[in-house]
Amino acid sequence: SYDISKRMFVRVLGDNFLAYTCASLTSSFITATMCTPVDLMKTRIMNQEVVNGRPAMYSGVVDCFRKTVKAEGVASLWRGFLPNWLRMAPWSFVFWLSYEKLRRTFGFSSF
């Protein structure tokens, strides 16, 4: 997602710090959007009560997904999106801007 975002922003803003910043934030937004439902399922499965050595509420990921959507609606899959994105955005920013600086320092092309 970073490469696609970067190409779009470089076309509009030029090959500079601002384009890399926008691309890294867009990339982290897309990542948070895709990963939040998976993180929610993982957290619910891990935190469920175990009775007699068996899970009390969910038998697996698909069961957890079905029960969550049925009880709380599709939008509930993105519960916790903002904290997820706020966690990913700084990492993405530092990583991609460091990458771009190193790429330029060592003379590698952009695409």
Side-chain angles (χ1 to χ4, degrees):
S1 64
Y2 176 77
D3 283 343
I4 294 167
S5 300
K6 179 182 163 189
R7 286 178 191 187
M8 181 184 71
F9 285 112
V10 164
R11 223 178 289 128
V12 174
L13 303 171
D15 195 7
N16 57 39
F17 176 82
L18 182 59
Y20 307 149
T21 300
C22 291
S24 72
L25 293 176
T26 301
S27 176
S28 65
F29 184 86
I30 292 167
T31 302
T33 301
M34 300 302 288
C35 291
T36 298
V38 176
D39 285 345
L40 180 77
M41 298 299 114
K42 177 192 66 135
T43 301
R44 288 185 178 201
I45 289 170
M46 288 175 62
N47 289 333
Q48 71 179 321
E49 190 176 328
V50 176
V51 178
N52 297 327
R54 298 191 59 107
M57 191 157 200
Y58 308 113
S59 62
V61 176
V62 174
D63 184 47
C64 181
F65 179 84
R66 279 191 206 138
K67 287 179 179 177
T68 299
V69 170
K70 185 176 180 181
E72 302 171 40
V74 174
S76 70
L77 296 174
W78 285 273
R79 181 172 288 137
F81 169 81
L82 187 60
N84 237 358
W85 186 38
L86 292 175
R87 177 179 58 86
M88 288 180 196
W91 178 90
S92 181
F93 174 77
V94 170
F95 177 83
W96 288 115
L97 267 66
S98 298
Y99 166 80
E100 292 296 343
K101 180 64 176 171
L102 289 169
R103 181 189 59 76
R104 281 185 173 204
T105 300
F106 292 109
F108 294 112
S109 67
S110 184
F111 291 109

